[in-house]
Amino acid sequence: METKELNFRGFKINGFLMLAIHLLLVSGIITYSFIQMTTPFFILGGVCLLIWFTLFGGYMQLEPNEARIMVFFGEYKGTFKETGFFWVNPFMNKKQLSLRARNLDVEPIKVNDKIGNPILIGLVLVWKLKDTYKAMFEIDSETMASDTTVSSDGKEVSTGNAVANRMNAFENFVKIQSDAALRQVAGQYAYDDNEADTDELTLRSGGEEINEQLEQKLNERLAMAGIEVVEARINYLAYAPEIAAVMLRRQQASAIISAREKIVEGAVSMVHMALDKLSQEDIVELDEDKKAAMVSNLLVVLCADEAAQPVVNTGTLNH
């Protein structure tokens, strides 16, 4: 992902050193000026007092995985990422952002798969800011992160946390784009292989390959906002309620057919083995009609759903 972010190279000083200068040196000059009780010193003291209050705007503290976007009267001066306590130009606008990873659990949405079946699909993803310049200036994050929200009665209520609002705005952007990416990926594959070739990739059997494609689509969509998707996984997949019952019966029928195939295959093998044993060991000689009857009876016994009820023949083999 091409980055437009620049490291801040403007003037900065250790915050504790500047605090000492601020409180000791400037405070001393102000005190001395007002003690002199003359007009020039009064003017000097007033100017220093104004400077004294202005200097407070330059202090900032950064924790690990935090950043400040430095803007000087509308001009981007770089991104400050050093951790610690610093002092910079107090006229610099310092917009705070978090670079920490965040989770997003996208609620299941209804989409049509490759063959047109309505399905419910959801995902969970981990994302973080990669390019702070794009995040702040390529999308309208400032408008989305307005400090006021509308309450249920229609009144504006101040939230009072610009950083949280900005991150919530990014999260909303990620949510909308992830919805679009999820629809795009889900529409390229069938839910399962009922209507497709068994070797074709499906949403149920795709696993890691489907997740990788989803992650790729998300990164393509979010690159413009300087956001990187660390991991994306489908965490919910089911047929839509209107066809779920029909598809369940269909799956049950498919399972019954597969089971019947195994039963018939095993029954034929057992009948073949029985005939071979009777022939090899000369237990009884059977003509073709009696072999056919024996095969029919054995298949009925072996393939029946319930235990067969035997009928004992008390006569001869011919009656």
Side-chain angles (χ1 to χ4, degrees):
M1 181 171 63
E2 183 183 357
T3 180
K4 294 184 177 181
E5 179 182 286
L6 301 174
N7 290 326
F8 177 71
R9 299 187 181 279
F11 175 79
K12 66 178 185 295
I13 188 173
N14 184 280
F16 295 104
L17 176 60
M18 187 61 195
L19 191 62
I21 297 173
H22 181 185
L23 297 180
L24 297 178
L25 181 60
V26 180
S27 298
I29 294 175
I30 294 172
T31 303
Y32 178 76
S33 299
F34 283 104
I35 290 175
Q36 295 302 312
M37 300 296 290
T38 60
T39 301
F41 280 101
F42 273 125
I43 297 174
L44 177 61
V47 172
C48 289
L49 186 62
L50 180 62
I51 293 174
W52 191 85
F53 284 109
T54 303
L55 291 176
F56 280 111
Y59 295 103
M60 65 178 183
Q61 176 183 327
L62 270 77
E63 298 178 1
N65 285 322
E66 284 187 351
R68 297 290 181 96
I69 309 300
M70 313 301 286
V71 180
F72 186 69
F73 292 102
E75 183 181 356
Y76 173 67
K77 291 296 185 178
T79 301
F80 198 103
K81 293 183 179 180
E82 295 183 44
T83 59
F85 184 48
F86 298 94
W87 185 90
V88 295
N89 187 341
F91 296 102
M92 195 81 68
N93 190 356
K94 302 174 281 294
K95 301 177 183 291
Q96 185 175 356
L97 293 176
S98 173
L99 304 180
R100 300 181 178 98
R102 299 168 71 95
N103 279 324
L104 179 61
D105 188 3
V106 180
E107 295 185 2
I109 58 175
K110 184 186 292 187
V111 300
N112 291 331
D113 67 359
K114 183 180 180 180
I115 58 179
N117 290 326
I119 61 174
L120 294 175
I121 185 170
L123 81 152
V124 60
L125 58 89
V126 181
W127 64 276
K128 64 180 181 179
L129 293 183
K130 188 72 173 179
D131 189 324
T132 56
Y133 178 89
K134 290 182 179 180
M136 288 300 301
F137 304 116
E138 294 290 339
I139 63 174
D140 194 9
S141 57
E142 287 298 297
T143 301
M144 293 187 295
S146 174
D147 285 341
T148 58
T149 57
V150 180
S151 62
S152 58
D153 56 359
K155 297 181 179 179
E156 289 189 349
V157 180
S158 177
T159 59
N161 192 334
V163 181
N165 289 342
R166 289 191 191 104
M167 299 311 297
N168 288 336
F170 295 139
E171 184 170 307
N172 185 57
F173 185 87
V174 173
K175 184 177 181 180
I176 295 173
Q177 293 300 322
S178 62
D179 185 292
L182 189 58
R183 292 180 185 275
Q184 181 181 2
V185 172
Q188 296 176 352
Y189 302 96
Y191 177 88
D192 56 23
D193 56 8
N194 286 330
E195 294 290 342
D197 190 273
T198 55
D199 294 332
E200 185 177 349
L201 190 67
T202 64
L203 294 173
R204 285 186 63 189
S205 64
E208 290 298 326
E209 188 170 346
I210 296 293
N211 292 331
E212 288 176 3
Q213 291 194 27
L214 182 59
E215 183 178 329
Q216 179 184 353
K217 295 296 183 182
L218 282 167
N219 277 320
E220 289 175 359
R221 290 175 173 271
L222 297 175
M224 63 175 294
I227 297 172
E228 178 188 29
V229 174
V230 180
E231 183 182 24
R233 290 184 176 276
I234 294 175
N235 67 338
Y236 185 90
L237 183 63
Y239 283 113
E242 56 265 31
I243 66 167
V246 175
M247 289 302 178
L248 178 60
R249 289 197 295 270
R250 182 180 181 179
Q251 291 173 353
Q252 290 172 340
S254 178
I256 291 172
I257 292 171
S258 299
R260 288 292 183 185
E261 289 177 353
K262 288 291 183 181
I263 291 173
V264 171
E265 182 181 350
V268 171
S269 176
M270 294 174 68
V271 170
H272 186 272
M273 180 182 64
L275 292 174
D276 286 346
K277 283 287 185 180
L278 291 173
S279 175
Q280 291 174 5
E281 299 181 9
D282 294 328
I283 297 174
V284 63
E285 292 185 5
L286 302 174
D287 57 19
E288 294 302 319
D289 291 337
K290 290 186 174 59
K291 284 183 179 180
M294 180 180 176
V295 169
S296 177
N297 292 335
L298 285 175
L299 287 177
V300 169
V301 172
L302 294 173
C303 296
D305 286 334
E306 299 177 357
Q309 299 295 329
V311 177
V312 180
N313 186 357
T314 58
T316 64
L317 290 175
N318 297 322
H319 296 88

